[in-house]
Amino acid sequence: MSISFFWSRAFLTNRFLLWLLFWCNLVGTVYGYMWYGEQMEYTIANHAIWQVIFVPDSPTASLFFTLAVLFLLYPPKSLALKGFSLLIEALAVVTSVKYGIWAVSIIFAGAAQGDHLVWQDWMLVASHLTMAVEALLFVRFFRFGTIMLIPAAAWTFLNDIVDYTYGVYPWLPNELLDHLFAVQNFTLGLTLFSVVLSWIVLRLAKRKTI
């Protein structure tokens, strides 16, 4: 069986594979929210309650992608739901790429500063790299157009602003706390990079060159 088969629409949009992808991402999403549970409780106790929605960055990105896969399995019929699905797809791609790369970068940045990596860190590296790869891999099967990248970018930048204005960014390795300004700038720059990369890959997909 050739490599091209595993890249083909017939293989990647097979309902068995899509259901497998859906359940894997759903389980990962639930686990991610559990992972952020302590920080979410802390945020509710010490910050304005509305800020808690901006705490679990990666699980929310995973949730967007899970819903996007569900819409591949069951394409929406109504106009309103179609519009909603296009927004979810754009959010899924931008945020999965952004937080997939961000988490891996922060883990290795902490390690470079002396943080000791444990098996959970390597699990997070693998799962977050998968987030970014699967989002880019499935762009060509999603239906959203470039216009939907505008609200997706707005949401992701808003998340960054809230995170670093109110201090509800994901808890960092202690070794990076003295470099918070650099982390903030990296995060904002990565959002821009993720939007641009999503736009490029989407344009290529629409031209059927990938």
Side-chain angles (χ1 to χ4, degrees), residues 33-96:
Y33 281 114
M34 292 171 61
W35 179 278
Y36 276 92
E38 185 178 349
Q39 185 176 355
M40 293 171 71
E41 291 176 1
Y42 177 87
T43 302
I44 291 171
N46 295 277
H47 294 265
I49 193 168
W50 61 268
Q51 293 171 18
V52 73
I53 193 174
F54 296 98
V55 171
D57 296 336
S58 294
T60 301
S62 179
L63 176 62
F64 290 146
F65 189 80
T66 302
L67 291 173
V69 172
L70 187 63
F71 285 128
L72 286 179
L73 285 161
Y74 298 103
K77 304 297 184 184
S78 70
L79 187 61
L81 198 54
K82 284 180 181 178
F84 176 70
S85 71
L86 298 180
L87 176 59
I88 290 297
E89 289 173 352
L91 285 166
V93 174
V94 171
T95 60
S96 293

Side-chain angles (χ1 to χ4, degrees), residues 54 94-95 98-99 149-165 187-196:
F54 296 98
V94 171
T95 60
K98 187 266 181 73
Y99 293 114
L149 290 175
I150 296 175
W155 165 262
T156 313
F157 275 117
L158 175 63
N159 200 334
D160 294 343
I161 292 168
V162 172
D163 276 357
Y164 293 94
T165 299
T187 302
L188 287 165
L190 187 55
T191 294
L192 178 60
F193 170 80
S194 300
V195 172
V196 172

Side-chain angles (χ1 to χ4, degrees), residues 35 107-108 115-126:
W35 179 278
I107 289 171
F108 286 131
D115 187 28
H116 176 66
L117 299 186
V118 295
W119 71 267
Q120 290 95 332
D121 294 309
W122 294 107
M123 178 269 293
L124 291 172
V125 167

